[in-house]
Amino acid sequence: MDDQFDDKFHDECGVFAIYGHPEAAKLAYLGLYAQQHRGQESAGIVSGNGRKIYTHKGMGHVSEVFTEGVLKGLRGWLAIGHTRYSTAGDTVLLNAQPLTVGCNKGLISVAHNGNLTNARQLRKHLEETGSIFQTTSDTEVIVHLLARSAKKNFQEALEEALLQVEGAYSLVLLHGDQLYVVRDPRGFRPLAIGLLPRPENAPSGSHSSNGEAYVFASETCAFDLIGARYWGEVNPGEIVRVDSKGIHTSRFAAETPHAFCIFEHVYFSRPDSQVFGRSVHRSREGLGRRLAREAPADADLVVPVPDSGVAAAIGYSAESGLPFKFALIRNHYVGRTFIEPEQNIRDFGVKLKLNPVRSLLEGQRVVLVDDSIVRGTTSRKIVRIMREGGAREVHVRISCPPTIASCFYGIDTPTQKELIGWNHSVEDIRQYIGADSLAYLSLDGLRQSVGDSEGEFCTACYTGNYPTKLATIQVETSNRR
Ligand code: SF4
């Protein structure tokens, strides 16, 4: 659906990798399919057998990019895959990943979830000293740095390259018959490890040492679909190498305070995933419970903004004792384009997506639970739709603090000036969206609900306190009242 009606931060990318399975590409396809919510602009898979690689990439959803015939052609027993929503670089096929480059280190294919905050400076320097870039994506910087390294050993060269980049990166790389999986020292983006039993009749050459294939994914919902079991996390600052002898783990960077993206738990990840080792659904229900304690409402029922507000609304309902009702129905079949009638219909885009259930709302005082207010435009339309649907009062409750700053770690966000929370008070926002009352969860409440007792999460979009130096970006101080 057109983004103009979707006032949310946008998902970034999803990665997947598998080593040691005769159906590597098909399983990568399913792994990407399960992670479609992390990027809808392009998808790609590179597979290999240690001697040759096979590639297919395209614009659109995973189901549009891959056909049975295409997957048959992606041979081999190791594969990496990517779904993309561009956070850096243009939206063109050239920037679709995995990115494959031939250089003095051989053929390297890489897929990246995250955003490098010093990519512009590094690229400028590389170009001034002779590098020729194929794409406008920040990921290519890593490959050029790798190619420039004087180290002969591939892993040492990769480590040298990684020590020069800053920001967020969860990477999967295919190099010959080896798979490398990397997470940045702060661990902004998730990256989970799973094990998948191999078929008994698997041909030789598709081996892994313990009779199981290794799988890696941004989110564990990818493991559930292919029947893999969750084994753990790639730790921040770690390189995992998988070869015929098994899995080898080592650190490439010194211990650094962690900065797991808290918004993965608030909104981005699927509720059926384990992210940073914790159930997303559990976090979201906890956010709702805490919100009910911090911001109770004199109301008759709790209604979620589907789908992302559902788990928090369940928590709010359980804690408050108010009944939970699906009184706002989402149309799951809205395509990315549609034909609008010539006669102007107010709130057409939002109505196409969400419709109120009049029989549940008529005369009721409603607590409307959502996960964020970005610009405020969509929330305003939803409140209006609820009233038109018969609600007597609409009390909006948001399961995180006001969003006051943009993200530079792989999430597509509007500029800071476009964020309604940056320079408006909660009361201003309430008036703008037309709610009877408005309350947000506190930062403490958010941290506690995701189990952040050690301060291991990034909360920069709520505080403006970025966990790294931002080389290229001027961050403005909030003048929020
Ligand atoms: Fe996540 Fe916000 Fe930090 Fe970006 S700024 S990594 S969205 S918590």
Side-chain angles (χ1 to χ4, degrees):
M1 156 141 234
D2 196 305
D3 288 351
Q4 64 182 306
F5 302 121
D6 190 5
D7 187 24
K8 295 283 182 196
F9 277 18
H10 276 279
D11 304 349
E12 347 82 280
C13 300
V15 294
F16 183 88
I18 179 162
Y19 182 98
H21 198 288
E23 290 198 281
K26 276 194 182 158
L27 294 165
Y29 160 77
L30 293 172
L32 296 182
Y33 202 95
Q35 299 186 98
Q36 184 70 82
H37 61 291
R38 295 186 74 88
Q40 295 93 43
E41 286 182 356
S42 65
I45 293 174
V46 171
S47 67
N49 55 16
R51 298 182 305 281
K52 234 180 140 184
I53 64 161
Y54 305 85
T55 304
H56 186 77
K57 298 189 272 190
M59 300 304 288
H61 288 193
V62 176
S63 60
E64 295 160 345
V65 171
F66 296 99
T67 61
E68 186 75 39
V70 165
L71 287 171
K72 262 200 187 119
L74 294 172
R75 303 202 196 115
W77 42 268
L78 74 165
I80 60 172
H82 190 258
T83 56
R84 179 168 193 267
Y85 182 92
S86 60
T87 54
D90 305 324
T91 306
V92 289
L93 184 57
L94 202 63
N95 282 337
Q97 293 191 10
L99 171 72
T100 299
V101 177
C103 67
N104 55 356
K105 306 288 185 302
L107 216 50
I108 305 162
S109 300
V110 58
H112 173 200
N113 174 202
N115 187 52
L116 306 181
T117 51
N118 63 342
R120 210 182 299 170
Q121 289 89 334
L122 289 171
R123 182 177 177 129
K124 188 165 176 281
H125 172 73
L126 286 162
E127 284 180 330
E128 281 169 1
T129 50
S131 294
I132 298 169
F133 279 72
Q134 292 178 22
T135 71
T136 58
S137 138
D138 61 335
T139 311
E140 197 179 344
V141 167
I142 297 173
V143 184
H144 281 276
L145 292 172
L146 181 56
R148 290 275 183 107
S149 170
K151 307 264 186 205
K152 292 275 179 291
N153 176 285
F154 182 81
Q155 182 162 337
E156 287 175 13
L158 176 60
E159 290 178 9
E160 194 173 86
L162 294 172
L163 289 173
Q164 296 171 68
V165 299
E166 287 166 12
Y169 51 92
S170 283
L171 300 173
V172 291
L173 286 99
L174 195 157
H175 181 243
D177 60 356
Q178 302 193 337
L179 181 67
Y180 290 85
V181 183
V182 182
R183 196 158 161 224
D184 68 72
R186 294 186 189 265
F188 283 102
R189 300 282 142 233
L191 196 49
I193 312 175
L195 294 171
L196 177 69
R198 291 186 314 121
E200 275 174 20
N201 58 353
S204 61
S206 62
H207 58 282
S208 63
S209 64
N210 63 355
E212 288 183 295
Y214 295 101
V215 287
F216 301 85
S218 300
E219 288 186 42
T220 60
C221 59
F223 299 162
D224 299 336
L225 182 60
I226 62 172
R229 72 175 198 280
Y230 172 60
W231 197 42
E233 305 284 312
V234 176
N235 291 317
E238 209 169 70
I239 290 190
V240 176
R241 177 168 55 85
V242 192
D243 61 20
S244 59
K245 294 195 180 70
I247 193 164
H248 316 270
T249 301
S250 57
R251 286 200 67 84
F252 67 91
E255 279 286 353
T256 311
H258 295 158
F260 308 144
C261 172
I262 210 160
F263 219 53
E264 293 275 356
H265 275 269
V266 174
Y267 170 65
F268 292 128
S269 297
R270 272 176 49 162
D272 50 337
S273 285
Q274 291 266 119
V275 165
F276 309 128
R278 181 186 168 90
S279 153
V280 174
H281 180 88
R282 188 173 152 217
S283 288
R284 287 193 192 151
E285 214 178 302
L287 296 172
R289 283 185 176 276
R290 177 78 186 220
L291 186 58
R293 292 199 294 277
E294 289 186 5
D298 203 4
D300 303 309
L301 45 102
V302 177
V303 175
V305 175
D307 294 323
S308 52
V310 171
I314 290 171
Y316 194 102
S317 163
E319 190 71 21
S320 64
L322 296 172
F324 172 95
K325 298 285 178 193
F326 271 116
L328 202 51
I329 301 301
R330 184 181 176 128
N331 181 347
H332 288 270
Y333 302 100
V334 180
R336 277 176 290 172
T337 57
F338 50 84
I339 300 154
E340 243 184 289
E342 276 174 30
Q343 179 208 347
N344 180 41
I345 297 177
R346 194 162 75 155
D347 305 332
F348 177 76
V350 171
K351 278 181 180 162
L352 200 64
K353 211 169 173 183
L354 297 169
N355 198 31
V357 183
R358 182 168 283 279
S359 62
L360 292 173
L361 293 175
E362 199 77 67
Q364 299 294 301
R365 296 169 304 163
V366 174
V367 177
L368 183 68
V369 179
D370 203 354
D371 54 68
S372 56
I373 298 178
V374 179
R375 295 179 182 84
T377 45
T378 301
S379 304
R380 179 186 168 98
K381 290 172 185 170
I382 294 173
V383 170
R384 200 152 59 204
I385 286 173
M386 295 293 283
R387 291 199 196 280
E388 285 169 7
R392 181 152 58 95
E393 292 175 15
V394 182
H395 301 275
V396 175
R397 296 291 180 268
I398 303 298
S399 60
C400 61
T403 310
I404 63 160
S406 303
C407 176
F408 303 104
Y409 306 116
I411 304 296
D412 185 55
T413 54
T415 61
Q416 192 175 34
K417 288 195 176 89
E418 291 175 274
L419 299 170
I420 194 168
W422 175 58
N423 55 4
H424 291 88
S425 68
V426 173
E427 174 54 19
D428 286 347
I429 301 170
R430 182 198 70 74
Q431 284 180 22
Y432 176 73
I433 66 173
D436 292 282
S437 73
L438 168 66
Y440 291 82
L441 187 65
S442 67
L443 187 62
D444 268 0
L446 172 60
R447 282 201 154 125
Q448 284 178 23
S449 305
V450 302
D452 185 25
S453 52
E454 311 276 321
E456 286 192 296
F457 279 77
C458 173
T459 56
C461 47
Y462 307 117
T463 59
N465 300 326
Y466 293 91
T468 65
K469 268 199 327 257
L470 296 175
T472 52
I473 300 133
Q474 188 65 43
V475 181
E476 297 181 53
T477 315
S478 170
N479 61 1
R480 191 163 58 102
R481 280 164 280 153

